[in-house]
Amino acid sequence: MSRARKIEAELDKGPQPPDLGYSGYGVAMIPTMNDSLMRLSYAISNAEQGQNGVATSSAETQIEEEIDEIKRYEDFTTIDWVQDAAREQIRRKTRRKEKAGFFEREGGIGWRQKLWESYDAGQAWIVVLKPPGAAIGLNAAFLNIVTEWLSDVKLGYCTTAFYLNENFCCFGAENGCDEWHRWSSIWPVNYVLYIMFSTIFALTSASLVKSFAPYAAGSGISEIKCIIAGFVMKGFLGPWTLFIKSIGLPLAIASGLSVGKEGPSVHYAVCTGNVISRFFDKYRRNAAKTREILSACAAAGVAVAFGSPIGGVLFSLEEMSSYFPLKTMWRSYFCALVATAVLAAMNPFRTGQLVMFQVKYDRSWHFFEIIFFIIIGIFGGVYGAFVIKWNLRAQAFRKKYLTKYAILEATLLATATAVICYPNKFLRIDMTESMEILFLECEGDHDYDGLCE
């Protein structure tokens, strides 16, 4: 028996996902894992062809890597949608019988039973609207405030209150203030301190993720799509992952690495919904019902990241969910609405805006500018294809040589980024803040560091 066949037979002996009993749901879940299965099948095919004289070492290595990729989670099974639906019906009937003697009055259904049944039926709205939406909004505000302070503390500190970032310290001032001080009046000292802060932030973030919550790495969107589709990945949406994600994300952004909060916001939002739903017996015992909450929380995560509740619902509908009934759409919208309302009430930027900046125009565009719009569009497409091509090669290199040195890789990359970025005043600040400056219009006597000239 060939090496490929042995590996394939070994994989077949592992735990198999249960039969869903309904092909509609099974088909909905299969596409989420097509890429890994297709790569595994392709690798096995290549290994079998190696029996005719072609080298099989690379194909066998690819097979082992794909198997490790599939088995890297604590659990990898699928839920039974039909069984969960049947369990929900049985649960309702059982609860109705248990409460019958208490709720019935004079042989009929009393108002207490009607009230209880209304609460049980509307429990999803209570779970979605209040705790998860409010918690997601609070967490988003906390992350925004902490990220801004960590990004500014690399450059200086506020003499009136050390916990304030530069914008809050100099609130109302346009070109800085006397209360905000640099760490030193000597440029090389500030340069070294900037590099030290960036390195420490990256090292701390990577160490926390590596040591306590490996599932907190990355955006988590791909895995969440699999979970919502019906796969089980224990610990990926747990409280410990949520805690480490909420701490490591501001540190990673403030370190200067080219990462953003938009993708991870979906992960910590879904983690929030999963943790809160565990307190309700209706969702703790029914994995299929929990997926509805996760879809709604995914919409709320996008909503707080971009300040757009409707955009969050569309993202959850088009990208995340394979089963999205009408009731889930309305619940997702209200969950996103509550999250953005809480974020607006917190007002983390003290501008009344849900995001750090908004693009405003007070003059119309000119017809001749279309030529430059076309040129920029062509350049963006070509550059995007170039980046994707070389990013795949970079990922292959990292997977082959840097897998065991994840913390060292992140730390050195942050250090190199800080060394390169500090000499440029627009690169040393937070990326979102630099985008805000670039989108400001040249009005009056404001020059914005010479950009208008």
Side-chain angles (χ1 to χ4, degrees):
M1 182 181 292
S2 65
R3 171 68 171 169
R5 282 299 179 187
K6 289 181 180 179
I7 297 176
E8 186 178 10
E10 182 180 333
L11 180 61
D12 292 337
K13 294 179 182 179
Q16 299 296 320
D19 185 9
L20 299 179
Y22 184 66
S23 59
Y25 292 110
V27 173
M29 290 187 293
I30 289 173
T32 59
M33 295 304 298
N34 267 351
D35 293 340
S36 296
L37 296 178
M38 288 178 63
R39 289 195 301 266
L40 180 59
S41 177
Y42 179 73
I44 294 175
S45 177
N46 288 343
E48 290 175 347
Q49 294 177 4
Q51 296 177 0
N52 298 327
V54 182
T56 61
S57 59
S58 59
E60 292 174 358
T61 302
Q62 184 180 359
I63 294 173
E64 294 175 352
E65 290 177 354
E66 296 299 336
I67 293 175
D68 292 339
E69 184 72 16
I70 292 175
K71 292 184 176 181
R72 69 191 178 99
Y73 297 102
E74 295 180 10
D75 195 10
F76 200 81
T77 58
T78 56
I79 67 173
D80 193 327
W81 296 83
V82 177
Q83 185 179 11
D84 283 351
R87 286 179 178 176
E88 177 62 16
Q89 293 180 357
I90 295 174
R91 185 192 68 84
R92 291 181 180 179
K93 293 180 180 179
T94 303
R95 295 297 294 270
R96 189 178 293 112
K97 292 180 180 179
E98 290 177 354
K99 302 296 182 180
F102 176 76
F103 287 141
E104 287 183 0
R105 183 178 182 181
E106 297 179 357
I109 299 177
W111 63 271
R112 293 181 178 179
Q113 183 172 355
K114 293 181 179 179
L115 182 62
W116 173 260
E117 291 180 353
S118 299
Y119 166 75
D120 187 71
Q123 195 175 91
W125 292 94
I126 299 174
V127 174
V128 170
L129 281 177
K130 293 183 179 179
I136 292 169
L138 290 173
N139 198 14
F142 165 77
L143 293 179
N144 288 331
I145 295 173
V146 174
T147 301
E148 291 300 314
W149 181 78
L150 290 175
S151 299
D152 288 344
V153 80
K154 298 187 299 182
L155 301 173
Y157 62 96
C158 183
T159 56
T160 56
F162 184 78
Y163 56 86
L164 295 178
N165 59 24
E166 186 175 4
N167 289 333
F168 286 2
C169 184
C170 304
F171 189 75
E174 296 183 357
N175 296 318
C177 61
D178 297 334
E179 288 78 11
W180 181 262
H181 288 182
R182 299 292 179 182
W183 289 109
S184 175
S185 58
I186 305 175
W187 188 87
V189 175
N190 291 328
Y191 193 8
V192 173
L193 290 175
Y194 182 88
I195 297 174
M196 288 179 56
F197 276 115
S198 299
T199 304
I200 293 174
F201 291 162
L203 177 62
T204 304
S205 178
S207 300
L208 289 174
V209 172
K210 183 71 174 180
S211 302
F212 300 102
Y215 293 149
S219 66
I221 292 180
S222 301
E223 291 84 353
I224 292 174
K225 291 175 67 175
C226 295
I227 292 175
I228 294 179
F231 286 89
V232 178
M233 301 178 186
K234 293 183 178 179
F236 193 84
L237 301 178
W240 199 240
T241 302
L242 173 61
F243 179 72
I244 297 299
K245 190 89 171 185
S246 301
I247 296 177
L249 181 59
L251 291 170
I253 297 175
S255 67
L257 294 172
S258 297
V259 295
K261 63 180 180 180
E262 290 76 18
S265 65
V266 178
H267 192 183
Y268 73 70
V270 175
C271 286
T272 303
N274 180 69
V275 171
I276 294 178
S277 67
R278 298 297 95 186
F279 293 98
F280 295 82
D281 184 71
K282 178 179 180 180
Y283 295 95
R284 185 172 62 252
R285 298 179 180 273
N286 195 313
K289 299 291 292 184
T290 305
R291 266 60 184 175
E292 299 178 6
I293 305 298
L294 302 185
S295 297
C297 292
V302 176
V304 296
F306 296 96
S308 176
I310 297 178
V313 175
L314 293 177
F315 175 83
S316 180
L317 171 63
E318 297 176 359
E319 299 293 335
M320 302 299 295
S321 304
S322 56
Y323 177 65
F324 203 83
L326 183 62
K327 62 179 181 180
T328 303
M329 183 185 69
W330 283 109
R331 291 169 182 173
S332 300
Y333 175 70
F334 283 110
C335 182
L337 202 62
V338 170
T340 52
V342 172
L343 179 61
M346 292 293 295
N347 195 14
F349 304 111
R350 294 297 184 268
T351 58
Q353 300 175 353
L354 296 177
V355 292
M356 189 170 184
F357 70 93
Q358 294 179 353
V359 180
K360 298 180 180 179
Y361 297 98
D362 57 2
R363 55 179 64 91
S364 181
W365 56 277
H366 301 283
F367 185 79
F368 73 90
E369 294 177 337
I370 295 180
I371 300 175
F372 298 98
F373 295 157
I374 295 175
I375 295 175
I376 294 175
I378 295 175
F379 173 78
V382 174
Y383 180 73
F386 173 80
V387 170
I388 292 174
K389 179 180 179 180
W390 286 97
N391 182 60
L392 293 175
R393 296 186 179 184
Q395 293 301 321
F397 174 82
R398 293 178 62 246
K399 187 175 182 179
K400 185 175 182 180
Y401 297 103
L402 303 178
T403 304
K404 300 180 181 180
Y405 310 100
I407 298 178
L408 181 62
E409 177 192 2
T411 305
L412 294 180
L413 188 59
T415 303
T417 303
V419 172
I420 297 173
C421 292
Y422 186 82
N424 189 315
K425 63 173 63 177
F426 295 104
L427 294 179
R428 77 176 68 157
I429 60 178
D430 183 65
M431 183 170 55
T432 308
E433 186 177 353
S434 62
M435 292 291 293
E436 178 187 16
I437 296 175
L438 292 175
F439 275 108
L440 291 174
E441 293 194 23
C442 299
E443 299 176 342
D445 298 330
H446 304 292
D447 193 16
Y448 304 112
D449 296 313
L451 286 179
C452 294
E453 297 181 356

